[in-house]
Amino acid sequence: MDKLKTRWEIKSNWQFIFPLLGLLGLGYSAFRLSSLFLNNSNIVFNLILSTILFFALLKLVLFIFSKLEKKWDVTYRWELISIFLVFAITGSSSVFVGRPIIKLMGINKDNLPTFLYWFLYIIIGFIFYQILLVLIGWLFGQHKFFWNFEKKMLRRLGLKRFVD
């Protein structure tokens, strides 16, 4: 346990929630991927493939963490996990928030050409993604990181006047 605390720079016990949530999410992703590959096969084969995928994904994530730790300005390593969790939750949430808004606005595939419908769907989802990214980042204690991330993205989109 002390080795885990040292590796992830965990100072308080409550910070263990982030590695735990990260491992649970990785396990769920591995199981879902193996279910896609095996398509209703025997549960034993599914669990074996899930285990193999879990360790492969774990290696990939740890490699990505080592690269991003140098690039992103974070104080502790466990914060990388919370940042990834915010990205994951925000991506899913923007779809759940954007879909009812689109229906409320009367936008559907029947009254618009397919291209225009998907263009508006993506634009509206992107707008809600940006808002939710900062809000969920704040809930996870990463407001500073995501606000700076958001300002950088707005500058790249040519919207500097909204940032400065």
Side-chain angles (χ1 to χ4, degrees):
M1 193 60 82
D2 289 333
K3 189 176 177 182
L4 180 70
K5 278 180 125 175
T6 305
R7 180 181 175 116
W8 289 100
E9 300 172 344
I10 293 175
K11 305 294 182 207
S12 301
N13 287 337
W14 68 268
Q15 295 166 343
F16 276 114
I17 190 77
F18 295 109
L20 178 66
L21 286 174
L23 288 173
L24 287 172
L26 204 60
Y28 179 72
S29 298
F31 183 75
R32 293 289 297 185
L33 281 172
S34 69
S35 297
L36 277 173
F37 292 138
L38 294 179
N39 200 16
N40 296 332
S41 278
N42 188 341
I43 189 72
V44 174
F45 292 131
N46 201 342
L47 289 175
I48 291 170
L49 183 59
S50 295
T51 304
I52 293 168
L53 285 172
F54 175 81
F55 285 110
L57 288 173
L58 183 62
K59 282 288 203 188
L60 176 68
V61 167
L62 291 176
F63 173 76
I64 291 170
F65 278 5
S66 68
K67 297 295 181 187
L68 289 178
E69 184 178 18
K70 298 169 189 164
K71 185 177 179 179
W72 290 346
D73 184 28
V74 293
T75 309
Y76 303 107
R77 281 182 156 174
W78 61 265
E79 290 179 308
L80 290 171
I81 298 170
S82 68
I83 289 169
F84 272 83
L85 287 171
V86 169
F87 279 124
I89 293 169
T90 303
S92 302
S93 300
S94 66
V95 172
F96 290 122
V97 171
R99 190 175 291 151
I101 299 296
I102 287 174
K103 286 182 181 177
L104 188 68
M105 294 171 64
I107 299 172
N108 59 39
K109 292 178 186 176
D110 297 332
N111 63 1
L112 290 174
T114 305
F115 172 77
L116 185 58
Y117 169 79
W118 284 110
F119 178 76
L120 290 173
Y121 188 84
I122 290 169
I123 295 297
I124 291 170
F126 181 73
I127 291 168
F128 281 106
Y129 180 82
Q130 303 310 311
I131 295 166
L132 290 172
L133 193 62
V134 175
L135 289 174
I136 295 172
W138 175 75
L139 288 174
F140 275 74
Q142 297 298 325
H143 181 267
K144 181 182 174 188
F145 175 84
F146 284 104
W147 181 241
N148 290 334
F149 185 86
E150 195 62 40
K151 289 191 292 188
K152 188 177 178 182
M153 186 178 297
L154 289 173
R155 281 189 198 105
R156 287 183 179 171
L157 292 172
L159 301 171
K160 292 180 184 178
R161 66 178 179 261
F162 293 111
V163 177
D164 299 327

